[in-house]
Amino acid sequence: MKVLIKTEIPGPNSKEMNQKRIKSVADGHGSVCGVYIKKADGSNLIDVDENVFIDYAGGIGTMNIGHSHPRIISAIKTQLEKFIHPCFTVAPYESYITLARKLSDLVPISNNCKAAFFNSGAEAVENAVKISKSYTGRSGILVFSHAFHGRTQMTMSMTYKEDPYKKGFGPFLPNIHRLEFPSEDKILNLISSDFDPKTIACAVIEPVAGEGGFIPVSINAMKNLREFCSKHDIVMVVDEIQTGFGRTGTLFAIEQFDVEPDLITLAKSIAGGLPLSGVVGKLEIMDASHVGGIGGTFGGNPVACAAALAVLDIIEDEQLSTRAIEIGKKVRYKIKSIRNYCPWIGGIRGLGAMQGIIIINPETGEADKSRTSRIHQYALEHGLIMINAGTYGNVIRTLMPLTIGNDDLDQSLEILSAAITNA
Ligand SMILES: Cc1ncc(COP(=O)(O)O)c(C=O)c1O
């Protein structure tokens, strides 16, 4: 759909809605853009003032299959007409089992696998940690700088960035040990660590740090981490909440690292926008927790499971992992073409369609958060909704639906490059 900006941004109807919001919604729950949405279709968002945007945020990476995909809507409707929520903990149903089987067969782990479902990404990470603690009888958790694992007490403690995620919310959980994130230019430094590996239940790593700034882990470091975990009987958990479901060019990013993890956490694009998350991994680890130790009222809700089954079919039928690679190439090509006259582009990094454009001060080489915010604002005013990332707030990230057509992609890249050039 062609981008159409009819009003100032935000428009009058959005502004009016924002006034209502201020009176009723807790301030702590922020929104990146001041435009309020009334319709979404494919890679477009249409706001309450009839402005048409292209969506590079994709519900923070939940919309890999695009907004309002007809097959998702049909799967949801079919399920709604049967039943909405008998609760798997009480009266179970088949779609949960089918999804658990499918994901267990799809994850790149050669052992027999099992799965369990929850609601949010944070819950999936919490449960992966709980399962690892049950399996190992240990309590330590190994995490990395730039990590983001969620906003609950445990996952916030595992998360790196102080402001806004941890500010004022301490004390944090003990026994969490942090290593430097092993990106391409860093080795996995386990030598200077201050913990006894025999106390560590699990190591949790994002194959590409998401909120931390779209930083891929180096392949060697991932292999070293695998060796370290195997040597010390530590459960290796790969957090694929943002990288999963085709985003990086393979169904799961870890497929590109020649490494088999023990557990994988999933959420975001798993169910085409419905709240669902999961832990999938080696059967003997997944079975370690006692009955009733994991679960929850809404975990694996049947409507979300029906949507998730449709998501897997759509990704395969529409070859969205391959499309992610094409999208990533186009983004990189465009950014490289403007780099010569935009010395504030510090680089572009990522895997597949998960690309992060780094904005720096060309004189000092330091992160330039305020220029990044100006780029974001310019793009928004010209019809492109984006979100930033990075520990220093200076990375523009691409999380557009992988179903985006070439016309929308070309249009959006023109807006993005104009925003980077002019802001
Ligand atoms: C890698 C990663 N883990 C965990 C989470 C937390 O997911 P949720 O916000 O659904 O709790 C996120 C969310 O951005 C994430 O990117």
Side-chain angles (χ1 to χ4, degrees):
M1 203 182 287
K2 215 166 167 33
V3 162
L4 181 66
I5 299 300
K6 292 181 169 175
T7 66
E8 55 171 355
I9 300 293
N13 293 335
S14 276
K15 279 187 179 150
E16 195 184 318
M17 205 155 287
N18 204 48
Q19 285 312 311
K20 291 187 195 158
R21 172 211 180 111
I22 289 167
K23 292 193 189 105
S24 307
V25 179
D27 285 356
H29 197 164
S31 298
V32 175
C33 304
V35 293
Y36 285 76
I37 300 308
K38 80 165 187 194
K39 192 170 165 29
D41 186 22
S43 48
N44 295 113
L45 294 175
I46 298 133
D47 78 1
V48 287
D49 293 287
E50 304 287 336
N51 296 303
V52 180
F53 300 86
I54 293 174
D55 182 15
Y56 264 28
I60 323 186
T62 59
M63 301 308 304
N64 286 3
I65 53 119
H67 294 280
S68 314
H69 195 295
R71 289 173 71 180
I72 289 290
I73 292 175
S74 153
I76 291 172
K77 277 188 180 160
T78 306
Q79 180 56 45
L80 282 178
E81 279 161 16
K82 291 184 197 157
F83 54 89
I84 297 177
H85 194 61
C87 182
F88 197 77
T89 309
V90 181
Y93 39 87
E94 192 175 4
S95 56
Y96 188 117
I97 303 166
T98 312
L99 184 62
R101 190 66 264 137
K102 280 209 168 177
L103 287 170
S104 297
D105 292 342
L106 282 168
V107 289
I109 301 175
S110 38
N111 304 46
N112 285 332
C113 288
K114 280 189 170 187
F117 298 115
F118 311 96
N119 305 291
S120 67
E123 257 190 276
V125 175
E126 289 247 6
N127 279 283
V129 173
K130 282 167 64 179
I131 291 167
S132 303
K133 285 184 176 182
S134 291
Y135 180 68
T136 57
R138 305 170 180 174
S139 62
I141 309 169
L142 201 57
V143 293
F144 293 86
S145 57
H146 307 295
F148 183 85
H149 297 297
R151 286 179 163 91
T152 58
Q153 197 68 25
M154 185 196 286
T155 56
M156 173 183 64
S157 303
M158 295 164 69
T159 287
Y160 182 63
K161 194 173 176 179
E162 173 74 14
D163 187 3
Y165 307 123
K166 302 169 89 160
K167 197 168 70 169
F169 295 145
F172 304 107
L173 293 191
N175 297 345
I176 295 176
H177 306 275
R178 196 175 299 280
L179 298 177
E180 187 168 13
F181 188 85
S183 51
E184 274 309 329
D185 52 345
K186 303 265 171 29
I187 55 155
L188 180 67
N189 186 357
L190 293 154
I191 295 159
S192 62
S193 49
D194 62 348
F195 57 86
D196 175 1
K198 293 289 174 209
T199 65
I200 303 296
C202 60
V204 186
I205 190 161
E206 298 162 76
V208 181
E211 304 302 304
F214 280 31
I215 322 166
V217 171
S218 89
I219 292 182
N220 279 341
M222 195 65 100
K223 287 185 177 159
N224 292 344
L225 182 64
R226 175 67 275 179
E227 281 160 23
F228 177 77
C229 288
S230 299
K231 184 170 169 208
H232 298 288
D233 300 318
I234 295 168
V235 177
M236 181 179 179
V237 182
V238 169
D239 182 345
E240 292 256 14
I241 286 166
Q242 196 157 156
T243 50
F245 298 98
R247 170 62 47 192
T248 67
T250 40
L251 188 59
F252 303 110
I254 193 67
E255 291 168 46
Q256 298 174 47
F257 290 80
D258 195 19
V259 155
E260 287 195 15
D262 298 311
L263 299 181
I264 299 184
T265 54
L266 301 170
K268 291 204 187 275
S269 272
I270 187 173
L274 290 190
L276 182 73
S277 67
V279 183
V280 189
K282 292 182 180 167
L283 173 153
E284 64 277 18
I285 304 176
M286 290 299 295
D287 279 342
S289 169
H290 53 279
V291 175
I294 60 170
T297 305
F298 280 117
N301 165 277
V303 184
C305 283
L309 288 167
V311 164
L312 291 174
D313 289 344
I314 293 166
I315 292 177
E316 194 184 343
D317 294 351
E318 299 187 15
Q319 300 182 4
L320 294 185
S321 301
T322 309
R323 178 64 180 153
I325 297 172
E326 291 164 6
I327 293 171
K329 277 190 188 149
K330 276 197 161 224
V331 174
R332 290 178 84 92
Y333 182 81
K334 187 74 194 175
I335 296 306
K336 285 184 177 160
S337 75
I338 60 168
R339 209 174 158 179
N340 277 350
Y341 52 91
C342 294
W344 45 89
I345 300 177
I348 175 160
R349 65 188 173 208
L351 291 181
M354 189 171 179
Q355 294 292 328
I357 304 148
I358 307 151
I359 304 299
I360 55 162
N361 175 333
E363 268 127 52
T364 62
E366 280 170 15
D368 192 340
K369 188 177 172 178
S370 61
R371 189 188 290 269
T372 314
S373 302
R374 292 201 302 278
I375 293 169
H376 175 270
Q377 188 57 29
Y378 181 106
L380 180 67
E381 285 166 10
H382 291 79
L384 180 59
I385 288 185
M386 304 194 300
I387 43 175
N388 301 337
T391 300
Y392 312 107
N394 70 319
V395 180
I396 295 164
R397 57 173 148 174
T398 63
L399 287 173
M400 67 286 273
L402 303 177
T403 49
I404 189 169
N406 279 336
D407 284 353
D408 274 5
L409 186 57
D410 291 343
Q411 237 190 123
S412 64
L413 288 173
E414 286 310 318
I415 302 171
L416 176 62
S417 50
I420 295 175
T421 311
N422 296 319

